[in-house]
Amino acid sequence: MRLAVNGDTSYCYTNNREIDPLKETVVFIHGSGMDHTVWTLASRHFARHGRNVVAVDLPGHGRSSGELRPTIEAMADWIIDILDALNIERAALAGHSLGSLVSLECAARYPGRIRAIALVGTTAPMPVSDAILDAARNNDHAAFDMLTQWGYSKRHLYGGNRNSGIWMVGNTLRLYERAAPGVLYNDMNACNNYSNGLAQAPAVQCPALMVLGAEDRLTPNRRTRPLQEALPDVEVVILPGAGHTIMVEEPNALLNALHKVL
């Protein structure tokens, strides 16, 4: 589905279904340098279970036009613009990595519009290494390589996809490679600069779920404790064997966890 939002064309995947404002809605938000396709399985699943699903391409990502949003706060405001364009009063948000910060900020800024949040592969703050930032700034392929290498658990770097013939690492690299120049740096810089997460967390009035990979090397579990303690109503699910790229490493376990709030 393509929508006119703030003079730009914005794309969201809806499982080829019309949006019914009377149904509960789930908005899926991708991570840095990615697009809506990372949420295809979850989107189809919740669509089959009677929800509106809206898997977005953030501005300047995937099939969405418009200027990149340089901050988490601006991305959170854009999510509300999408809800307004679809005539949706309230929605649940599920975000991965960058998308988790957008979900957190959106729920804190607009408590009347968000009924639940699922934060997947998350932590706050979410610092990014200088090596990755420098490579992304220079549109150096090394940024893609580092994020892919560190984004998977060591076990899944060698394969193991439950869908025969699909190479997880290769798919992730192709996603990064098809992003426009500057997109990955914009997103990683936004994550690195977002310092308000812990301050905003107490303002989240809806139920929150944190889904974490036990072997996540980009947002390690040990860093998540402050956010867990700052959120007023949170449940934490840790998936054994998963790294940061949870949607493809443990897709079925993730779906089971998402049912807790979505």
Side-chain angles (χ1 to χ4, degrees):
M1 175 183 289
R2 287 178 168 82
L3 300 168
V5 180
N6 299 326
D8 298 314
T9 299
S10 298
Y11 180 83
C12 54
Y13 174 80
T14 65
N15 196 41
N16 294 321
R17 302 184 186 209
E18 294 295 325
I19 298 298
D20 182 353
L22 298 180
K23 290 182 178 180
E24 290 188 345
T25 297
V26 183
V27 177
F28 294 96
I29 309 169
H30 58 77
S32 296
M34 298 290 182
D35 61 27
H36 71 277
T37 59
V38 300
W39 284 112
T40 299
L41 176 63
S43 298
R44 291 175 176 173
H45 175 83
F46 281 95
R48 289 195 300 269
H49 285 76
R51 305 294 194 274
N52 294 318
V53 295
V54 181
V56 302
D57 283 346
L58 291 167
H61 297 69
R63 303 178 188 177
S64 288
S65 66
E67 296 293 326
L68 295 169
R69 300 308 194 264
T71 66
I72 298 299
E73 292 85 352
M75 296 179 200
D77 291 340
W78 183 84
I79 293 297
I80 298 300
D81 292 339
I82 284 286
L83 295 182
D84 290 344
L86 293 170
N87 296 314
I88 295 171
E89 182 60 30
R90 297 179 75 240
L93 307 180
H96 174 246
S97 198
L98 165 86
S100 73
L101 298 182
V102 176
S103 300
L104 172 66
E105 179 67 22
C106 194
R109 291 165 78 90
Y110 302 98
R113 304 295 300 274
I114 309 302
R115 66 175 180 85
I117 56 173
L119 313 177
V120 181
T122 191
T123 188
M126 192 179 288
V128 180
S129 73
D130 289 341
I132 292 175
L133 279 175
D134 289 344
R137 182 187 293 108
N138 295 323
N139 295 307
D140 187 338
H141 198 280
F144 308 156
D145 296 332
M146 286 186 282
L147 285 170
T148 302
Q149 176 75 21
W150 288 93
Y152 283 91
S153 66
K154 293 180 180 179
R155 175 170 66 91
H156 284 113
L157 285 172
Y158 294 96
N161 195 317
R162 290 176 173 81
N163 297 307
S164 179
I166 296 178
W167 182 26
M168 292 185 288
V169 171
N171 285 355
T172 298
L173 281 171
R174 298 297 90 76
L175 269 176
Y176 285 132
E177 288 169 351
R178 75 186 190 190
V183 167
L184 182 60
Y185 175 70
N186 175 86
D187 296 352
M188 300 303 288
N189 196 49
C191 291
N192 192 56
N193 290 338
Y194 182 61
S195 59
N196 295 330
L198 294 180
Q200 288 287 68
V204 175
Q205 299 178 11
C206 62
L209 172 71
M210 295 173 65
V211 185
L212 311 174
E215 298 182 30
D216 190 333
R217 293 181 287 167
L218 289 177
T219 54
N221 291 341
R222 65 181 182 274
R223 295 183 185 169
T224 66
R225 178 58 61 182
L227 181 57
Q228 294 180 35
E229 295 175 348
L231 287 164
D233 180 8
V234 64
E235 182 171 357
V236 180
V237 175
I238 299 176
L239 302 183
H244 188 67
T245 316
I246 294 171
M247 286 89 76
V248 290
E249 292 183 274
E250 292 294 340
N252 294 323
L254 173 60
L255 286 180
N256 290 337
L258 292 176
H259 271 277
K260 296 175 179 293
V261 294
L262 303 188

